[in-house]
Amino acid sequence: MRLPAFVTILFTAASTLVGGTHGHTSGHSHAHGDEGAVDCSTTFCKLQLSNDLEKRWHIHLPSNDYDPSDDMCAQCKITVQLIYNGYTWLGYGVSPDGGMVGSTVVIGRPSEEQPTLYELEGKMKMRVRPVTGFNLEDASIKYDNENAQTVMEFTTAFNTFG
């Protein structure tokens, strides 16, 4: 079974968190030596997706001696933040094959203040279905008037997206 790219990337990051190096990203993704390593289990890692959109993520390991290679980090959690310069709805998703259909996404609208997890079963609106019986932890989306930014944040099990 092929893993979604997001899970593969984060598993790689989680695997290198304990004693390894993982580059802090700002603008373009690249790895640094030990002197520039960022441990995404102790601080938020960042990736500038566009001029107006930044993604931040933090991996929560179940314990200090946890070896994520044991079970693909099944006990791990991840907090994701999307920060957009302006007012908009935000979506964050992972696809098993690079397409939208078949992917799992979190969509948030500032007017609703509670992002929701959806399965994209097709291209029509009626095929975008909320995942029932599933709640994201600490999920919120708000417009920050002072900074003129829309901020969406949620925490979920590491394997939520595949």
Side-chain angles (χ1 to χ4, degrees):
M1 180 174 126
R2 193 170 150 242
L3 293 172
F6 175 76
V7 173
T8 303
I9 290 168
L10 288 178
F11 173 70
T12 301
S15 296
T16 60
L17 291 177
V18 182
T21 61
H22 174 25
H24 178 273
T25 54
S26 58
H28 301 287
S29 177
H30 60 280
H32 297 278
D34 287 336
E35 67 280 356
V38 174
D39 181 346
C40 297
S41 71
T42 60
T43 189
F44 276 90
C45 290
K46 300 176 186 179
L47 178 63
Q48 193 71 38
L49 299 172
S50 72
N51 289 337
D52 294 326
L53 182 62
E54 179 179 78
K55 176 178 87 171
R56 298 177 185 173
W57 69 97
H58 174 83
I59 299 170
H60 308 273
L61 300 176
S63 68
N64 290 338
D65 61 348
Y66 180 70
D67 181 2
S69 65
D70 289 342
D71 62 1
M72 282 298 295
C73 215
Q75 298 175 34
C76 298
K77 291 185 179 185
I78 184 167
T79 297
V80 176
Q81 294 176 339
L82 293 177
I83 300 133
Y84 179 78
N85 294 326
Y87 183 90
T88 191
W89 65 272
L90 291 170
Y92 182 80
V94 176
S95 170
D97 61 6
M100 287 182 62
V101 174
S103 62
T104 304
V105 299
V106 174
I107 298 174
R109 297 171 188 87
S111 60
E112 295 177 7
E113 294 188 11
Q114 181 68 35
T116 304
L117 186 70
Y118 295 89
E119 292 289 337
L120 302 183
E121 298 174 351
K123 295 182 180 182
M124 297 170 46
K125 185 177 180 179
M126 63 188 250
R127 302 290 292 160
V128 177
R129 301 180 188 218
V131 177
T132 57
F134 185 90
N135 292 314
L136 299 166
E137 297 176 33
D138 303 319
S140 66
I141 183 165
K142 296 187 174 149
Y143 181 70
D144 177 354
N145 284 315
E146 186 175 319
N147 295 314
Q149 294 178 321
T150 304
V151 180
M152 181 170 76
E153 181 172 358
F154 61 90
T155 300
T156 189
F158 197 72
N159 59 7
T160 297
F161 296 102

